[in-house]
Amino acid sequence: MRLDADILHRLLPPYSRLWRAVLSAIVALALVVGDYLLDNYPYPVLDDVDSLAFIELMSERVAHQTDDSVLYLNVAYDKQLVPVFDDFGDTMGSAVITDRAVLRHLLEVAENADYRFLVLDVRFDDGMYTDSDSALWAVMARLPRFAYSAHSDNGNAADSSTLHAASISDYGATLSTGFTRWQYLQPAGESMPLTIYRSIDGGDIRRHGCFYTDRGRLCRNTLFIPLPSDVLLPERADGQVRYPLLGSQVMRWNSDDELTGMMRDRIVVVGDCDGDTHDTYIGSVPGPVLISCAYDQLRQGAHLLNWWFVSFIFIVYGLICYRVLSASPLWERFGWVRRHPALGTLLSFFGWEFLLTLLSIAMYLIMAESFITFLPAVTFTALGWLNSDLLKNNTGIKKQQKLKSNTYATV
């Protein structure tokens, strides 16, 4: 149904600069808020995370950063067999789990270590029980500055006394790039990076409807996580093994006192760095490393809204919108485009999408900030089409009014 020209004339008076300015500001504000809301969704929606991954990979912004504050302990080969039973209590066979006696010994050593935080990225699934469980649950229950991984879709076999230390380690992924984003405050509870952030840095992300704050500052709850390319290397820059094996290397060649010294003032991340790997834009990265990198973004304040960036993008949106409402679209200057309105709309969209994509690349490289380009591109295209239609209707009205005045003058 075609809108009446008078209604369009009232909504978008093309001769009024004030109305164009006010409407441009409203549209720009709506785009900024819409970008924030979509950016907080745990999965990419109208997003360009694939582009961000490519830019990050090419720029190597966080490549080759040696962080001595994190100690990874690899339990990839610390395994044991446990019997698995069906619902009737009959034995179904055996399953391989992380050796809980090794974990218990490590945590007992950690009780005397002055570590910053200890992450146990090991799953404790229902039905997997050993003789070491009760002693392991006891030390987990009394360990300070400690959390172990839980998952929203699996039962937790750990004792109820340890539930206060359980933290979610789930994340979202895309089919093309695998892991890209981390949602810190999840429906199932607080995620592991947020638990570390709260313990070490005093941060506390809270939800207020569709918005999130960290100690009173507006923030994002979901972030694209840049990954250092050197996490794929087996050795660090100083020649040390990046992910040393806990039982066969660390515990065999170091005494308990030496292991205590290794933990001092470091974030200790224990997990399977060989089997628990996840597809990312740089390759297959261990899950414990993803937790560490997601926390590092919180520590750097990447989740906090950069108001300089928000102000800049608001002004850019406002200026573009004002320009779109002030004149007919660029492509309509060509006669062959005017004869095919659908083609003009398509070209207009790709024109704005291309320019906004270049701007988003520049903003990411300069300020490490990104925005969703699809949303403003569609908005500006729709406004350009609407304004073009309004101008045509307004021109027709003026011609009719002029014709009537000439008729009256003749009479």
Side-chain angles (χ1 to χ4, degrees):
M1 179 177 175
R2 187 178 182 85
L3 293 176
D4 185 81
D6 290 336
I7 297 177
L8 290 174
H9 185 75
R10 295 190 187 98
L11 292 176
L12 299 172
Y15 55 83
S16 173
R17 293 183 179 179
L18 177 60
W19 269 104
R20 287 200 299 269
V22 172
L23 185 58
S24 297
I26 294 175
V27 171
L29 180 61
L31 289 175
V32 170
V33 174
D35 183 84
Y36 172 84
L37 297 178
L38 288 176
D39 207 32
N40 272 322
Y41 196 70
Y43 302 99
V45 178
L46 308 178
D47 205 350
D48 51 359
V49 291
D50 293 342
S51 299
L52 291 179
F54 178 77
I55 298 169
E56 186 64 50
L57 186 62
M58 293 297 100
S59 64
E60 294 188 339
R61 179 193 304 276
V62 293
H64 310 300
Q65 293 182 352
T66 301
D67 188 2
D68 291 330
S69 65
V70 181
L71 172 65
Y72 295 104
L73 297 177
N74 189 358
V75 295
Y77 298 98
D78 297 309
K79 303 297 182 181
Q80 68 177 122
L81 285 175
V82 294
V84 179
F85 303 93
D86 60 18
D87 295 336
F88 301 99
D90 297 327
T91 302
M92 298 173 57
S94 299
V96 179
I97 65 172
T98 303
D99 193 326
R100 292 180 180 173
V102 173
L103 295 179
R104 175 182 58 80
H105 181 75
L106 171 66
L107 298 186
E108 288 175 344
V109 173
E111 287 190 279
N112 301 315
D114 188 20
Y115 56 83
R116 298 176 66 194
F117 197 88
L118 197 155
V119 175
L120 186 59
D121 187 24
V122 175
R123 299 175 63 161
F124 299 106
D125 296 331
D126 283 333
M128 308 292 181
Y129 300 102
T130 72
D131 295 335
S132 301
D133 287 353
S134 58
L136 177 61
W137 307 152
V139 67
M140 287 172 59
R142 64 175 181 263
L143 206 61
R145 306 181 307 281
F146 163 78
Y148 68 93
S149 291
H151 299 269
S152 57
D153 59 345
N154 290 93
N156 190 348
D159 189 80
S160 59
S161 63
T162 68
L163 293 181
H164 67 281
S167 190
I168 305 298
S169 295
D170 298 333
Y171 64 85
T174 63
L175 293 177
S176 56
T177 59
F179 169 80
T180 53
R181 290 176 172 270
W182 194 288
Q183 184 186 26
Y184 293 104
L185 191 60
Q186 301 181 12
E190 184 178 272
S191 70
M192 184 67 77
L194 181 55
T195 300
I196 304 172
Y197 179 60
R198 178 168 50 79
S199 176
I200 297 178
D201 306 280
D204 187 19
I205 295 179
R206 295 182 178 273
R207 181 175 180 176
H208 311 276
C210 296
F211 298 88
Y212 295 85
T213 60
D214 179 5
R215 291 167 290 183
R217 295 186 60 181
L218 195 62
C219 69
R220 291 177 289 251
N221 184 48
T222 305
L223 280 183
F224 169 79
I225 305 299
L227 299 171
S229 60
D230 59 349
V231 299
L232 302 179
L233 302 177
E235 294 184 352
R236 301 177 357 149
D238 55 7
Q240 296 183 8
V241 177
R242 187 175 300 278
Y243 310 117
L245 299 175
L246 177 58
S248 61
Q249 293 180 339
V250 177
M251 287 184 173
R252 175 179 296 180
W253 303 111
N254 295 276
S255 65
D256 290 351
D257 290 339
E258 290 173 330
L259 181 55
T260 299
M262 293 171 60
M263 296 182 185
R264 184 177 296 114
D265 199 32
R266 303 174 81 176
I267 299 174
V268 182
V269 182
V270 184
D272 187 347
C273 297
D274 290 351
D276 180 22
T277 58
H278 306 267
D279 291 334
T280 73
Y281 64 90
I282 65 171
S284 187
V285 175
V289 177
L290 298 181
I291 293 176
S292 177
C293 291
Y295 158 70
D296 194 57
Q297 290 297 294
L298 291 177
R299 181 184 62 82
Q300 297 179 30
H303 64 301
L304 299 174
L305 250 64
N306 184 335
W307 290 106
W308 288 107
F309 170 76
V310 172
S311 301
F312 174 79
I313 207 66
F314 172 79
I315 293 173
V316 169
Y317 286 159
L319 291 176
I320 293 177
C321 185
Y322 187 86
R323 176 60 183 172
V324 169
L325 296 174
S326 300
S328 59
L330 173 63
W331 293 105
E332 295 231 352
R333 298 179 182 180
F334 302 96
W336 58 276
V337 175
R338 290 196 299 270
R339 290 191 294 270
H340 302 85
L343 179 59
T345 300
L346 184 63
L347 290 174
S348 176
F349 169 76
F350 281 109
W352 288 122
E353 178 67 17
F354 176 74
L355 293 176
L356 291 169
T357 298
L358 292 180
L359 179 62
S360 68
I361 293 175
M363 288 295 95
Y364 188 77
L365 293 176
I366 297 172
M367 306 179 70
E369 294 283 351
S370 64
F371 61 90
I372 298 174
T373 60
F374 185 85
L375 189 63
V378 169
T379 301
F380 297 145
T381 300
L383 285 176
W385 173 83
L386 186 63
N387 186 58
S388 176
D389 188 69
L390 171 62
L391 290 175
K392 291 178 181 177
N393 284 305
N394 189 60
T395 301
I397 292 174
K398 288 183 177 180
K399 288 182 178 179
Q400 291 178 4
Q401 291 176 347
K402 185 176 181 181
L403 181 60
K404 289 181 180 179
S405 64
N406 290 337
T407 302
Y408 292 146
T410 302
V411 174

